[in-house]
Amino acid sequence: MELRTRNNTQHIQPKVYILHENNEWFEPLKEELELLGVPYESWFIHEGRIDLTQPPPEGIFFSRMSASSHTRNHRFAIEFTETILAWLEAHGRRVINGTAALRLEESKAKQHITLQQHGIKTPQTYVVSGKQAALDAARKLGNAPFIVKPNRGGKGLGVQLFNSLKSFELALDDYLNVLASVDGIYLIQEYIKPQGGHINRVEFINGQLYYAVEVDTSQGFELCPADACNNRALENGGKPKEKFKIIDNFQHPYLGRFEQFLQNNQVEVASIEYLESEEGEFYVYDINTNTNYNRRAEQKFTNGALKGTRKIAEFLFDEWSKIKQLELATSF
């Protein structure tokens, strides 16, 4: 695919450009953009080329590149996207979730470092490369259980809980071979049992709180909220129990820090995942700059009045309108 550039002799009407690599995840946003009448173009990032001698088109560019892109055989989608975003930013284009956001998306280690810089507590974590380093880190944690996760992940893939150092030693070779980290880096992290058996996922759009979701963790660490992730109601003693539930009147003592963290890292659309320990301490453990929404939870909470994809489409429409108005003002 050749990404469209702006030829100096030809004017291209500004659009909203969506950079992504997963059509299933793009479909809900596409529906909302079309309902609002937003002119958009899908840039599916896998293989392609850009002409660095030409400027990019005018418009709004929204990156929805995912840390899990390699699991869909798009191994170098993140690396290619980072180059495209640098090209767009160099030409002064309006980019939502640009290179700074992508650097957080591609590395859980960078997330933890940056969170700590903002005074946001994270679980005790060792970043390792290599089998021996992983074993040494697990020994240093001292207390089982602990979690091992790839540095570049997504959807909770590859995250495993170990209840003893011995079980980790026995499983390590298979883990490194079967669930290999794309960049060869892993996080060895203390396991903190969440109070009430759930974590919370806080959604931000345009850098501001939209809503928060309580997520049941009883079936493991794969907590992707998108419809394409096959979310179904859980069974609770034979009765249906929703995995995702929007929190009414959400409040959090770290909310101001969350918003400042996102602003300082040029992240405008994201979710922040945290848990509360049984001792009442809050720990943030993941940032998703390519966030999805659970339509079942939205429908159940407000009969669809809250809808993440619609809110993003409205945000993109507002940003596109600013570009359009500026273009009209300068054409006279």
Side-chain angles (χ1 to χ4, degrees), residues 21-37:
E21 54 72 51
N22 188 330
N23 284 323
E24 283 188 294
W25 288 356
F26 174 54
E27 194 63 31
L29 178 57
K30 174 184 172 183
E31 292 174 6
E32 296 297 336
L33 291 170
E34 291 178 351
L35 284 172
L36 285 177

Side-chain angles (χ1 to χ4, degrees), residues 78-103:
I78 280 186
E79 288 80 1
F80 192 30
T81 299
E82 188 164 0
T83 300
I84 294 166
L85 294 175
W87 174 58
L88 295 169
E89 291 168 354
H91 285 276
R93 298 298 183 263
R94 174 68 171 101
V95 179
I96 297 168
N97 284 14
T99 52
L102 189 60
R103 291 188 190 108

